[in-house]
Amino acid sequence: MVAEQRFTVDLNKPLVFQVGHLGEEYQEWIHQPIVCVEGPRFFQSDFWEFLTRTVWWAIPTIWLPVVCYVLSISARKGLTYPQIGLIVALGVLTWTLLEYTLHRFLFHIQTKSYWANTAHYLLHGCHHKHPQDGLRLVFPPTATAILLVPLWKLLHLVATPATAPAMLGGILFGYVMYDITHYYLHHGQPKEPTFKHLKKYHLNHHFRIQDKGYGITSSLWDKVFGTLPGTKAAAGKKS
């Protein structure tokens, strides 16, 4: 009886439509990181390849003006600046919970079928396999724009016409700070203690304990929901 041959990913060929063939071995494969600034090719098509690559500075350049615009809507509808500031703070806090929830329950979902592995690799698996790929660290603006549409509609269902724009502005501002921080934690060399701790905390998630430490901008929700890494493990990886 001939043993079934294991599938091997060819790193010299576009990866996206290969990784699904790994089946149950996919999860183990993505958690064996390749630390290289030069990222792999995803697609044979130059067009689709282009859509997967985003420079970090595109995020604040595109989205901070949108934040200012939606805050101006709330101002024109009669909210005072202190009221807007309070709603923005609530929006940022809401983002940190979204950040934690998405990272824990969606980005780290267990997959093994071909299409589930393929989708997961595009969503987050690629980041764990190539954590230093500087052009795939931030979320593509096209995808963000698509997701903002249902979020805008949802906020108008649960908030007033005046408060909904400010809430969206707070959530979007939180997202921008998250993406910039995430990039900095991978490619910066922080001297300030808070960012040195965040870098060590996040690299611990990548290289030691992938099922703990889901917060990027803060460990708040890891503390709340009991996914804080152990002290010994968290101290083990030097930045």
Side-chain angles (χ1 to χ4, degrees), residues 157-214:
L157 288 176
V158 300
T160 68
T163 58
M167 189 68 177
L168 179 68
I171 293 172
L172 190 55
F173 181 73
Y175 156 70
V176 172
M177 293 301 101
Y178 151 78
D179 246 355
I180 294 173
T181 300
H182 190 201
Y183 185 91
Y184 181 63
L185 297 183
H186 279 273
H187 290 279
Q189 297 299 326
K191 300 281 192 293
E192 199 274 327
T194 299
F195 284 101
K196 285 184 71 174
H197 167 74
L198 283 176
K199 182 180 178 77
K200 183 183 295 185
Y201 188 81
H202 185 56
L203 294 185
N204 178 64
H205 169 75
H206 273 281
F207 296 103
R208 296 180 64 85
I209 307 178
Q210 290 86 11
D211 62 349
K212 302 285 185 183
Y214 296 106

Side-chain angles (χ1 to χ4, degrees), residues 29-51:
W29 180 79
I30 60 169
H31 290 124
Q32 296 171 349
I34 298 174
V35 182
C36 179
V37 176
E38 184 72 22
R41 188 170 181 94
F42 276 20
F43 294 99
Q44 191 70 42
S45 163
D46 289 338
F47 172 74
W48 291 110
E49 184 72 7
F50 169 76
L51 290 181

